Amino acid sequence: MSTTANPHAFALAEIEGVYRAIRERRDVRHFKPGPLKPGQLERFIAAAHNGPSVGLMQPWRFIRIANPALRAQIHQHVNEERIKTAEALGKRAEEFMQLKVEGILVCAEVLVVGLIDKRDQYVFGRRTMPEMDLASASCALQNFWLAARAEGIGAGWVSMFDPQQLRDICGMPDGSQPIAVLCVGHVHEFYTAPMLELEKWDQRRPLSDIMFEDSWDNPAVTA
């Protein structure tokens, strides 16, 4: 890889660092106890807050769960939803119940991430696609993930919850929407591949399956 022709490119080592964080980012479920270093969580949230957002609406909000009783309540609710998810999976229910889907009680920090209320007032970029608020928040969470991975800290996005119930648990205003219970903390090691791939739940598709040219399902010509 050469960057000599592009004065805007990062140095080669910095470029590799970006791609390494992307390659080695994992949705972590297995944590080991221990607090984060002072300032780490704030850096990760600052990285998230530097994410792109449609119309610069910045729809994300982060609630740090500091109360152990509240953390336990969130864990209980997630576990209830886990059982309901298993029931909805039918034949794969037993297989699903063998998977570890969260680390709420062990990780260093738990965050509830939500979309703001009164989002209808933001029209720029959302007139025909109002879901772009969620897309924007997802970009912010990816930034959080990559920053955490670069510092050797694991993060896991838990989405097994009822939005209304989690909103009530966390005292969020009407119209807001929780989108993630984010587990953050130290790990014994990072998975060598996505956990669900290692557990044979599914596997990552090759680029040829997801990259088209000019029309859907027309394979792209790659270099």
Side-chain angles (χ1 to χ4, degrees):
M1 182 189 302
S2 174
T3 65
T4 56
N6 188 344
H8 304 295
F10 292 176
L12 288 176
E14 295 171 329
I15 293 172
E16 176 52 31
V18 171
Y19 280 106
R20 180 184 175 190
I22 293 169
R23 285 194 310 270
E24 298 184 13
R25 181 209 58 81
R26 296 289 180 263
D27 192 12
V28 174
R29 303 307 192 201
H30 299 82
F31 295 90
K32 64 180 183 180
L36 300 183
K37 293 180 180 179
Q40 275 191 311
L41 183 62
E42 290 78 6
R43 286 196 296 275
F44 303 158
I45 293 177
H49 195 43
N50 274 315
S53 64
V54 64
L56 201 59
M57 70 180 294
Q58 304 160 77
W60 44 74
R61 296 294 185 270
F62 294 81
I63 305 172
R64 178 175 179 255
I65 305 302
N67 185 329
L70 186 57
R71 185 190 285 222
Q73 186 178 1
I74 292 170
H75 175 263
Q76 180 180 346
H77 173 60
V78 168
N79 192 55
E80 291 168 354
E81 181 57 31
R82 173 174 174 256
I83 294 169
K84 292 176 183 178
T85 299
E87 293 170 351
L89 283 168
K91 293 181 179 180
R92 301 197 78 179
E94 184 175 350
E95 181 185 358
F96 169 77
M97 288 300 289
Q98 300 303 311
L99 298 174
K100 185 170 179 58
V101 297
E102 49 80 20
I104 294 171
L105 297 181
V106 180
C107 63
E109 298 282 352
V110 172
L111 302 171
V112 172
V113 185
L115 300 177
I116 56 174
D117 58 338
K118 301 177 183 177
R119 298 191 301 283
D120 289 346
Q121 65 183 293
Y122 294 94
V123 179
F124 188 169
R126 299 180 64 243
R127 189 183 68 81
T128 59
M129 292 192 294
E131 65 275 13
M132 290 304 293
D133 53 5
L134 177 57
S136 297
S138 297
C139 289
L141 283 167
Q142 178 79 334
N143 274 12
F144 186 110
W145 241 326
L146 295 175
R149 179 61 189 91
E151 294 198 29
I153 298 298
W157 183 338
V158 179
S159 58
M160 282 184 230
F161 54 80
D162 177 85
Q164 179 63 59
Q165 285 189 245
L166 187 58
R167 184 163 54 236
D168 291 344
I169 289 170
C170 295
M172 298 171 65
D174 290 342
S176 64
Q177 180 183 341
I179 61 170
V181 174
L182 201 61
C183 301
V184 187
H186 299 279
V187 301
H188 292 284
E189 60 183 1
F190 283 91
Y191 313 136
T192 56
M195 191 194 78
L196 292 182
E197 189 172 334
L198 295 174
E199 296 287 351
K200 311 299 183 185
W201 183 263
D202 208 333
Q203 61 184 8
R204 191 181 301 279
R205 274 58 170 171
L207 288 180
S208 58
D209 282 1
I210 58 105
M211 187 174 176
F212 309 137
E213 190 165 321
D214 291 334
S215 64
W216 195 276
D217 274 347
N218 181 43
V221 178
T222 57

